[in-house]
Structure formats: structure tokens, C-alpha cells
Amino acid sequence: MLTHQGGACSHVRDTVISTLTVSNSNAGGPVPAEQLISVTYTIPAGLSNVTASGTGWQFSNNGNKLTATYTGSTPLEAGDSLPDVTLRGTISNPMSLTPNNSVSVATLNDSNSTNDSASDSITVCGPDLSLTKTHQGSGVFLIGKNISYTLQVKNATTGGPVMAGVPV
């Protein structure tokens, strides 16, 4: 199971925290002690500085793949779960798509490979800009006279940041 913390909307520069739980299904037999269990996490585009932690897990990173391996000293019985893996990453650039976190788990003699993957979507929301236009004076405009306008652009408190170099 893969879930992320936070609300329905994440923004650029937010830290996204996801929790991965690896369980042995109730239908499966035990995973023997000392048998390697491997989880591969595909890092979505636009997520950077990804780190992972979890008791008893060892981690390696190769490009957009983060691998977590676990070798327990006791069997993983049917219905039991391993210690959670916590994944942290920073949303590094605006993405037009909803990034899909996906993971898969593998171990020898797995009796049901159809339940060996999970995914969780992170919705990245952009800015929520509004524009207000006002003019100076009483509202009566005379032909041939200059009029001054003030334009004010605001980003809603729920909107994501406007990225540097992006025209407004």
C-alpha cells in the first residue's frame, strides 16, 4: 500500500511524504527468514531530492528508480507487515500531469504476483491568480483627459507559487 500525507493539492517546492507498507497477504504462506524482499519505487518526473527511510531497510538510488531491500531475521507470516518505508521528495517544477507514485515488491516464490504493485497520485496545483483593475478619480471621464489605471495581480492563499521566468 502506498499513501501520501497532505491535502488534495500539493504545490511546487512542497515536500511530499509518502508511506509504503509491504504486507504478506492472508492467503500467502510465510516468507522465510533471511529471504530478500525488494521494493522498487519509480520516482515521477518533477519530484527531486527523494530520500527513503525505514527500520531494517537498505536503500539504493539509480536514476529514477529507488530500491529498498529487506532481509528479516524472522519469517514474515501471512497477514503480517514489514516496517513502513517513508519516502520524501520535493516537487521541483510545475507539472501539467498528476504525478503517479508507483511501487512494486518482489520476493522468491511469491504465490500471487497480481497484488505486488501499488500507486498513489499526487495532484500538483498551480497558481490561482486574480486581477483587479481600478482607476483614479470620481468615475467621470472627460474626452481628451488622461486616465490612470492600477492593475493588481494576486495569488490566492491556496494557489501554488508563480515560478521565476514564467510570464504573468
Side-chain angles (χ1 to χ4, degrees):
M1 178 169 56
L2 179 67
T3 58
H4 73 275
Q5 299 173 14
C9 190
S10 297
H11 302 102
V12 174
R13 293 192 290 266
D14 280 357
T15 297
V16 178
I17 301 172
S18 297
T19 302
L20 168 64
T21 303
V22 175
S23 300
N24 187 359
S25 71
N26 288 324
V31 177
E34 307 300 327
Q35 182 169 312
L36 180 72
I37 298 171
S38 178
V39 172
T40 303
Y41 170 64
T42 302
I43 301 169
L47 199 61
S48 63
N49 303 319
V50 176
T51 61
S53 61
T55 303
W57 291 92
Q58 294 182 336
F59 303 95
S60 63
N61 195 328
N62 185 9
N64 74 331
K65 301 284 185 195
L66 187 141
T67 302
T69 54
Y70 187 90
T71 306
S73 58
T74 60
L76 179 62
E77 299 293 337
D80 287 349
S81 298
L82 294 175
D84 286 345
V85 172
T86 301
L87 303 161
R88 285 182 171 78
T90 303
I91 298 174
S92 57
N93 63 36
M95 295 167 280
S96 59
L97 302 174
T98 299
N100 189 29
N101 281 327
S102 62
V103 295
S104 60
V105 63
T107 193
L108 291 174
N109 303 316
D110 188 342
S111 65
N112 181 3
S113 62
T114 63
N115 62 2
D116 291 353
S117 62
S119 63
D120 181 49
S121 294
I122 299 171
T123 302
V124 179
C125 299
D128 182 8
L129 301 180
S130 63
L131 176 66
T132 305
K133 177 181 172 184
T134 58
H135 68 275
Q136 295 177 352
S138 64
V140 176
F141 300 109
L142 301 175
I143 296 174
K145 297 290 182 177
N146 291 333
I147 302 169
S148 295
Y149 289 97
T150 301
L151 301 175
Q152 184 178 36
V153 178
K154 286 186 178 182
N155 190 6
T157 57
T158 58
V162 176
M163 300 304 294
V166 176
V168 176

